[in-house]
Amino acid sequence: MPGQGPTNRQHRLQFQRLPALFSVIKLPPQAEVPGWSTNGHFSSITRTDEELSIVCPSQHLPAAVQSPHQWVCLKLKGPFPFSLTGVLLAFIEPLSSHGIPIFAVSTYDTDYVLIQEERADTALELLAHAGHQQLP
């Protein structure tokens, strides 16, 4: 329709792969935010009535805390205005259509997409084929 913004296929995004491997942890909703969870270049802490969800560099996990997967974190180059639609969809659609699960975290300025380490190489190939550019 005339006047609509770009479609998902028109968004060609730039992104960086963050250097660390990451873990996604679930703690009880009343748990205190552990000090180790906020170290590093990127971490995300989200509390709901059901859980305390933590994304942080795996190297900061204490031995007693287990994570079933190691995740590669891709940071989309933002900022993106709130009025811009379809940005995250354009990035994850090539992954979803090939059965690659993701864990997404949005911030005020940008989005972070985590991909299980064992699927990262395939995911990066799919993203490049879709026209997205990995920055150094």
Side-chain angles (χ1 to χ4, degrees), residues 14-132:
Q14 294 181 323
F15 66 95
Q16 287 180 289
R17 179 177 175 166
L18 298 185
L21 289 175
F22 289 80
S23 294
V24 179
I25 307 297
K26 177 182 173 183
L27 297 177
Q30 70 279 6
E32 294 291 322
V33 175
W36 51 260
S37 66
T38 58
N39 295 328
H41 295 289
F42 170 73
S43 64
S44 176
I45 313 296
T46 304
R47 186 185 304 277
T48 69
D49 290 339
E50 294 84 28
E51 67 182 290
L52 177 64
S53 179
I54 298 172
V55 178
C56 68
S58 298
Q59 65 194 21
H60 298 303
L61 289 182
V65 177
Q66 299 296 314
S67 175
H69 297 283
Q70 298 286 299
W71 300 78
V72 168
C73 185
L74 307 178
K75 177 185 177 182
L76 278 62
K77 184 174 181 195
F80 302 112
F82 289 138
S83 60
L84 186 61
T85 62
V87 172
L88 185 57
L89 178 60
F91 195 74
I92 65 174
E93 187 176 48
L95 305 176
S96 176
S97 65
H98 287 86
I100 296 181
I102 61 103
F103 187 93
V105 175
S106 294
T107 67
Y108 191 92
D109 282 337
T110 194
D111 297 299
Y112 294 80
V113 175
L114 290 97
I115 301 163
Q116 293 171 359
E117 179 185 27
E118 60 271 15
R119 297 186 174 209
D121 290 340
T122 301
L124 291 171
E125 289 174 17
L126 291 167
L127 291 168
H129 183 71
H132 303 299

